[in-house]
Amino acid sequence: MDVEDPVVTFITHPRILAIASEYLDELPYVQELNFFHSPIFEESKGLIGSQAWHLDNDKKRRLKIFYSPFEITSQHGPTTVLSFKHSDKSKYPNYPGYFNDCDAALAGLPIKERVEFTTTPGEFYIADTSKCYHFGSRNNIKHRFLLIAGLGPIETYLSFLRTKKYLKDKYGLLDINEKILDVTNAPC
């Protein structure tokens, strides 16, 4: 029995792919697909992770689709962005780390011009989170349910040396390129 997956159908809809392809100048791949539940924020412990301002910095451009089958208001801790024109990387106070509103204000970022992505059930919005400062799930007093699908080009800006170290440390893959060369240069 074939069962249609509504998330895959949505993310791969021809109009969504056309928008992403036009923006990225290539057919995108689905880089991430997450469904988040942000519980009610009960006690202030300071900003953690994506609750602080940041850019997604492993790609020079990407599109993230934010969708919820439920209403998202300012009480749900909506994803919040600064426009591209206000997201100058040279003003990034803690690049590539996260920063709070005070750091942003000290850097001259006009955080009062931020835009909250609030929606009615079933609406979605798209942003390039590599080019627009953003945060989400901050101080929500209602539960937030949000699907985030990242569409991006194949290129990456992750450092080769960092990736190689990660492969070595996590998977024990030493000198991976040399091992590939050894196999391809082996006598028949």
Side-chain angles (χ1 to χ4, degrees), residues 22-96:
E22 178 76 22
Y23 179 75
L24 298 169
D25 292 327
E26 65 181 85
L27 188 63
Y29 77 100
V30 178
Q31 178 187 357
E32 71 173 285
L33 186 59
N34 298 296
F35 192 72
F36 292 100
H37 167 237
S38 301
I40 294 172
F41 192 78
E42 299 198 11
E43 171 183 333
S44 181
K45 297 178 184 171
L47 302 178
I48 57 170
S50 63
Q51 294 174 346
W53 291 102
H54 65 284
L55 293 174
D56 298 333
N57 58 22
D58 62 321
K59 294 196 175 294
K60 69 178 181 181
R61 63 196 194 288
R62 85 181 67 233
L63 290 181
K64 280 193 180 172
I65 300 169
F66 300 86
Y67 168 82
S68 180
F70 308 106
E71 175 182 51
I72 295 183
T73 68
S74 59
Q75 296 178 335
H76 293 90
T79 300
T80 302
V81 300
L82 280 178
S83 70
F84 173 72
K85 74 177 184 176
H86 295 309
S87 295
D88 183 358
K89 276 188 182 179
S90 67
K91 293 184 178 179
Y92 204 115
N94 193 26
Y95 186 83

Side-chain angles (χ1 to χ4, degrees), residues 96-116:
Y98 297 87
F99 57 96
N100 62 32
D101 290 351
C102 292
D103 294 331
L106 287 172
L109 297 173
I111 59 173
K112 290 185 180 192
E113 294 188 34
R114 64 186 176 212
V115 176
E116 289 185 345

Side-chain angles (χ1 to χ4, degrees), residues 12-28:
T12 61
H13 189 279
R15 290 184 72 191
I16 297 288
L17 291 179
I19 290 167
S21 296
E22 178 76 22
Y23 179 75
L24 298 169
D25 292 327
E26 65 181 85
L27 188 63

Side-chain angles (χ1 to χ4, degrees), residues 5 7 38 52 83 91 96 108 119 134 138 148 161 166 174:
D5 184 325
V7 173
S38 301
S83 70
K91 293 184 178 179
T119 63
H134 62 284
R138 189 189 283 188
I148 300 177
L161 295 174
Y166 176 78
L174 307 172

